[in-house]
Amino acid sequence: MHLLAAAPGAVDDGSEAVDLGQTPGDIIVLTAADTEIAALATANRHRLADDPAAPSLRLANYLRLGHNMSVDLYIDEVVQHAKLVICRLLGGRGYWSYGVDEIAAACRRSDIPVAFLPGDDQPDAELASMTTLDAGAAHRLWQYLVHGGVANAAGFLGFAGSLVGHASDWHEPAPLLRAGLYWPGAGDVTLEDLRAAWIDGAPTAALVFYRALMQAANLAPVDALIAALQERGINPLPVHAASLKDPVAAAIISETFDAAPPDVILNATGFALSAPGATTQRGPFTETDAPMLQVVFAGSDHDTWKTGANGLSARDIAMNVALPEVDGRILARAVSFKGAAQRDAATETDVVAYEPVPDRIDFTADLAKSWARLRQTAIADQRVAIILANYPNRDGRIGNGVGLDTPAGVVTALTAMAQAGYRIDGAPEDGDALVRRLQDGPTNAGAVARKIEESLPLPSYEIFFAALPRNVRDAVIERWGAARAGPVVSGRSHRLWGLRDSGLPLRPCRNRAAARARIQHRPQRHLSRS
């Protein structure tokens, strides 16, 4: 049997069996949170400095054990030799069912106490039923990890050591603030401390991120975003939170936003507050109408993302793209990836950290600046485009959305905009009228006897095109040729026209200078992986 050496910091997709390269240890801790691993590794180094005879510790991210053979090998080489096994599972048993079931069976065979702990702060009856460690002890271990931080990690290791027969000091789990303000290089900060670094009259951008990043000192992308916002004349309002669903954290965030209303929110926490199909729950953002940009701290490494064909992993897409859309958040992009891991010799684990990608940090800061400016722009001066899908080969796929009545949704949006003060001329009465109007113009169905009204000045197109990544520009030119030589360029005015031929989402534009200014200064979305 051939096994690959596990790539440090990578989240295995289960397609290859890997060997984490660990030897047996007294206490085994498996978790999905690299920040938790970092905190425990730090606490363990301090513990060994004071007590070299302390029980040996092995730490592992079970997401790297995606293949069943990886699980089997880890159990044979590490788990079955332990004195205590602790698994903290994000999402419950179902997200790693083979690993949970096999570890539970192995621990029963070898009479090893095992604790299966929830990955959040909510009890899990199924995990509790599989736990063989005393319920009180398991609960205490869980609370150390729920509250987090290096101090609680030290208490966790001390108490775990006492469970395997090692006399050591330990303290009870200490609750930490569920949310608070942050500033690079500072300790506890207040809103007045932040305002001392702000520019009077400048827009404010709230940056919400997980408290675990601060507890593990894994803050490089947060610090990079703060610096990028400052460079653009935006006042950063960094807020860490245990979870947006935590009532105490939500209250602190809400009070902070009440005292310092943000013009735009950059949210770097995952999941959603709302449930699909249910009434939207805005949680701590209820009292603000600031646009919410979803910022992704990707769980994969940069090379895997860059060279792979799938972009973000399925887990990242679910947690940071699909679910946040239920809350109405606007996807910015992934701004950081897990960097090269540093091997921690004592725990035989790879401690990974987020590494920001400068151009993606800059893009997100530019996007935040544009949205903040748009929010401060009078409705009469705003121009809004609604873009519908125009899939190939038949008109029945115009605006297609699985399970959605997209045309009716557009009409509803137009009605709401009119009520909000936007000028809406000639709005269709219903979805059918909208579709008929679209079919009168160019589509991808192949019909030729249709009006071509949409056009765009060629210089405006070229300004936009020049801002795209080089690989995208090269691919477009290789397939379609240069724009000036293309069949969709019409007349002496050099205007691009004809959606059916070009596939471009164009809109009427009668002023070249205005078009150039709009393309340069509007909130942009470049063609790139999220």
Side-chain angles (χ1 to χ4, degrees):
M1 178 175 66
H2 178 67
L3 294 176
L4 299 176
V11 176
D12 190 76
D13 62 3
S15 61
E16 299 283 356
V18 298
D19 181 359
L20 297 187
Q22 291 187 354
T23 60
D26 296 321
I27 301 170
I28 312 299
V29 180
L30 295 115
T31 176
D34 283 319
T35 52
E36 206 158 73
I37 290 175
L40 289 169
T42 299
N44 188 61
R45 287 194 296 272
H46 296 161
R47 181 184 65 140
L48 291 176
D50 297 332
D51 183 8
S56 56
L57 174 68
R58 299 292 177 263
L59 302 172
N61 188 322
Y62 66 79
L63 297 180
R64 296 170 65 189
L65 301 174
H67 196 289
N68 289 356
M69 291 171 60
S70 305
V71 174
D72 294 341
L73 180 68
Y74 193 75
I75 289 174
D76 291 342
E77 297 292 330
V78 181
V79 171
Q80 69 177 1
H81 304 288
K83 297 179 180 178
L84 174 64
V85 177
I86 303 163
C87 300
R88 192 169 191 226
L89 298 155
L90 185 64
R93 172 188 168 276
Y95 280 79
W96 197 47
S97 56
Y98 182 82
V100 172
D101 293 345
E102 292 302 306
I103 287 175
C107 288
R108 283 197 302 270
R109 289 193 301 268
S110 301
D111 196 24
I112 301 169
V114 60
F116 293 103
L117 309 177
D120 53 21
D121 60 356
Q122 298 300 310
D124 188 313
E126 183 178 27
L127 295 181
S129 69
M130 303 180 73
T131 295
T132 60
L133 185 67
D134 173 76
H139 181 79
R140 182 178 284 116
L141 291 172
W142 178 40
Q143 290 305 299
Y144 282 119
L145 301 179
V146 165
H147 294 300
V150 174
N152 277 319
F156 174 95
L157 295 179
F159 178 63
S162 71
L163 295 176
V164 298
H166 182 77
S168 58
D169 295 330
W170 52 272
H171 55 77
E172 292 290 346
L176 303 179
L177 283 176
R178 306 301 290 168
L181 298 175
Y182 165 76
W183 195 255
D188 294 335
V189 293
T190 66
L191 186 56
E192 293 308 312
D193 295 329
L194 297 187
R195 284 188 167 127
W198 284 2
I199 302 171
D200 290 340
T204 299
L207 172 57
V208 183
F209 60 95
Y210 279 122
R211 181 188 63 169
L213 298 181
M214 190 177 69
Q215 293 170 334
N218 191 2
L219 291 160
V222 175
D223 293 349
L225 280 169
I226 291 171
L229 292 170
Q230 286 186 297
E231 289 172 3
R232 287 155 179 80
I234 301 174
N235 294 327
L237 178 61
V239 183
H240 63 83
S243 168
L244 296 182
K245 293 183 178 181
D246 182 287
V248 176
I252 293 173
I253 295 173
S254 181
E255 290 174 2
T256 300
F257 287 178
D258 184 58
D263 295 287
V264 62
I265 298 170
L266 281 70
N267 181 68
T269 70
F271 303 103
L273 292 165
S274 309
T279 302
T280 300
Q281 302 294 325
R282 289 181 56 86
F285 308 138
T286 299
E287 301 305 321
T288 176
D289 61 353
M292 294 184 290
L293 305 184
Q294 183 68 20
V295 179
V296 182
F297 295 168
S300 61
D301 64 279
H302 186 261
D303 288 342
T304 299
W305 169 85
K306 188 174 182 179
T307 59
N310 297 327
L312 292 175
S313 68
R315 186 179 297 271
D316 275 334
I317 290 173
M319 291 172 54
N320 296 291
V321 181
L323 288 174
E325 285 183 350
V326 178
D327 284 347
R329 302 180 209 165
I330 305 161
L331 177 64
R333 58 177 47 187
V335 299
S336 73
F337 298 85
K338 290 185 176 178
Q342 301 296 317
R343 189 72 171 179
D344 182 69
T347 59
E348 298 184 6
T349 193
D350 301 312
V351 179
V352 300
Y354 288 117
E355 291 185 353
V357 181
D359 66 318
R360 302 181 77 79
I361 291 285
D362 288 341
F363 174 91
T364 302
D366 287 337
L367 194 64
K369 180 179 179 179
S370 296
W371 277 102
R373 183 177 59 250
L374 181 64
R375 185 170 182 267
Q376 296 176 345
T377 301
I379 287 179
D381 297 326
Q382 295 183 21
R383 300 189 65 180
V384 179
I386 298 178
I387 302 174
L388 300 182
N390 187 21
Y391 291 106
N393 72 36
R394 58 191 176 92
D395 285 356
R397 303 185 69 189
I398 292 176
N400 182 52
V402 178
L404 303 174
D405 188 340
T406 308
V410 171
V411 173
T412 300
L414 291 173
T415 301
M417 291 174 64
Q419 294 172 349
Y422 288 89
R423 178 181 172 182
I424 307 293
D425 295 327
E429 295 180 359
D430 51 33
D432 291 341
L434 172 63
V435 172
R436 286 194 296 270
R437 182 180 301 182
L438 293 173
Q439 288 178 318
D440 286 341
T443 72
N444 284 327
V448 294
R450 289 179 172 172
K451 295 182 293 184
I452 305 289
E453 296 179 342
E454 293 79 5
S455 65
L456 181 75
L458 184 60
S460 298
Y461 169 81
E462 290 176 331
I463 290 171
F464 170 78
F465 188 73
L468 298 177
R470 176 176 292 276
N471 63 323
V472 175
R473 301 198 305 269
D474 291 345
V476 170
I477 292 173
E478 180 181 356
R479 175 149 189 155
W480 301 107
R484 288 181 179 273
V488 298
V489 178
S490 172
R492 295 179 181 177
S493 62
H494 294 294
R495 304 179 82 81
L496 286 164
W497 58 273
L499 292 182
R500 178 175 57 82
D501 293 321
S502 68
L504 295 171
L506 307 180
R507 57 178 176 173
C509 181
R510 298 175 179 81
N511 184 297
R512 183 173 301 180
R516 182 180 296 110
R518 182 171 68 243
I519 290 176
Q520 285 177 321
H521 298 297
R522 71 180 178 181
Q524 296 184 13
R525 292 186 67 185
H526 294 177
L527 297 179
S528 178
R529 289 185 181 91
S530 293

